[in-house]
Amino acid sequence: MTAVALVPFVPSLLLAAGGGWLGRRLPPATATRLLTAACLVTALATGFILSVVAFTLLAPMPVLAAVGHWSATVVRGRDPLPAPAGLLPAAVVAGLLASATRRAVGVGRDLAAAELTCRRLGPAPTGLVIVDDDQADAYTLPGLTGRIVVSTAMLRALPVDERRVLLAHEHSHLHHRHHAYTQLADLAAAANPLLRTSAAAVRLAVERWADEDAAATSDNRAVAVRALARAGLARAGLARAGTVTMPTAALGAVHTDLAHRARALREPPPKPRPALALTLAALILATAAAAVDTSHATEHRFERAQATFAHQT
């Protein structure tokens, strides 16, 4: 394996150690987009590199060399590892692929259930559906059109200005399709467990993004803090009673790290951090470039091996 091929593994470690920090330091919208892209590119690149390593180590085996019509000596090159060593990365790839497949199936199932729920709720020109329920809750359902579901109990728990903030938060989820970012990041984390920290950071970042959109609807950010706290308290009794029925794919204003989000809302709106954003973007590009370079190098290696095989025969 060349030094370039090792590049995609570096972002995995960096994101494992610093994904949460990046999610808190970058503006929420920027963090959401860049961390999701970093997760996807890193998961694809590391999976691809592991597959290349496994195949390249196993390729010199006589059976595979005969089937592929390539020279085992050229394919092996200067690699000191024996062919059976390729079984380990092959097993890792198979396990990660199975994990990602299970997650993809789960995402599909959750989205189908959310779409079915949206249809059952009926038409909603503004996307808002108010349900008559004594259990305080509010969440956004993904789907072809999506729905914002708010219970009458939650509306009663909030004064008018805080109610406006809560609805603006859910409208932000719906408008920006935040569920897509969280699901893609979770899928990448299933394919590369080192990305779980970053996937969690994406989920927090989309809530912070919606918080900032909601706070912008009020002249006083303290109103957003109060809305978050009051809605969280109203839903806390529901959670303690074990009667939460929110669909799996839904996003809700009071479901993720209220303490951190409340502290962030007490501060001025987040400022752009171009240096940090550009550094993360450069890391994403370097990871993708390393995977492409590995692909070209591997293709060239096997072309030479096939040419040598043809010359020998």
Side-chain angles (χ1 to χ4, degrees):
M1 186 189 300
T2 66
V4 173
L6 292 172
V7 170
F9 296 94
V10 175
S12 296
L13 297 174
L14 292 176
L15 290 171
W21 181 84
L22 286 169
R24 292 188 297 272
R25 295 287 291 175
L26 288 167
T30 303
T32 298
R33 295 183 177 114
L34 285 180
L35 282 176
T36 301
C39 286
L40 287 173
V41 171
T42 301
L44 289 170
T46 51
F48 173 73
I49 296 298
L50 282 172
S51 299
V52 167
V53 170
F55 185 72
T56 303
L57 286 173
L58 294 172
M61 296 177 67
V63 174
L64 293 178
V67 172
H69 301 290
W70 54 63
S71 167
T73 302
V74 174
V75 170
R76 182 180 295 108
R78 298 178 181 178
D79 198 331
L81 296 175
L87 294 174
L88 178 59
V92 172
V93 169
L96 295 178
L97 182 60
S99 176
T101 300
R102 285 194 301 271
R103 180 58 191 162
V105 171
V107 167
R109 184 174 57 246
D110 292 341
L111 289 176
E115 177 61 25
L116 181 60
T117 301
C118 287
R119 293 185 180 184
R120 288 175 176 171
L121 290 171
T126 64
L128 175 62
V129 176
I130 298 175
V131 295
D132 187 8
D133 197 333
D134 292 334
Q135 299 174 343
D137 208 358
Y139 53 85
T140 301
L141 280 171
L144 296 177
T145 56
R147 294 288 188 277
I148 296 169
V149 181
V150 183
S151 70
T152 52
M154 180 62 83
L155 294 177
R156 288 194 300 268
L158 304 177
V160 174
D161 55 349
E162 295 175 18
R163 190 184 306 165
R164 188 180 301 114
V165 167
L166 178 71
L167 293 178
H169 178 105
E170 301 301 344
H171 273 292
S172 178
H173 282 324
L174 188 63
H175 175 71
H176 295 295
R177 301 288 181 180
H178 286 161
H179 69 277
Y181 295 105
T182 61
Q183 288 160 351
L184 288 172
D186 285 346
L187 182 59
N192 183 342
L194 290 174
L195 300 175
R196 289 175 181 171
T197 301
S198 293
V202 169
R203 186 166 292 276
L204 177 58
V206 299
E207 295 299 339
R208 286 279 297 110
W209 184 351
D211 286 343
E212 291 299 327
D213 285 351
T217 65
S218 174
D219 295 332
N220 187 352
R221 289 172 68 86
V223 175
V225 178
R226 290 199 302 269
L228 198 63
R230 204 186 306 270
L233 289 172
R235 191 175 184 274
L238 178 65
R240 285 194 299 268
T243 57
V244 176
T245 57
M246 187 186 76
T248 305
L251 293 174
V254 293
H255 303 151
T256 304
D257 202 346
L258 293 181
H260 169 75
R261 291 162 53 201
R263 286 195 299 270
L265 284 171
R266 291 191 185 99
E267 302 293 330
K271 297 179 180 179
R273 296 182 180 273
L276 192 57
L278 287 174
T279 300
L280 183 53
L283 189 65
I284 295 170
L285 292 175
T287 303
V292 171
D293 180 80
T294 300
S295 174
H296 290 163
T298 303
E299 182 180 9
H300 180 64
R301 186 175 188 174
F302 276 87
E303 285 176 349
R304 288 190 294 107
Q306 288 178 325
T308 302
F309 180 89
H311 179 74
Q312 292 174 344
T313 57

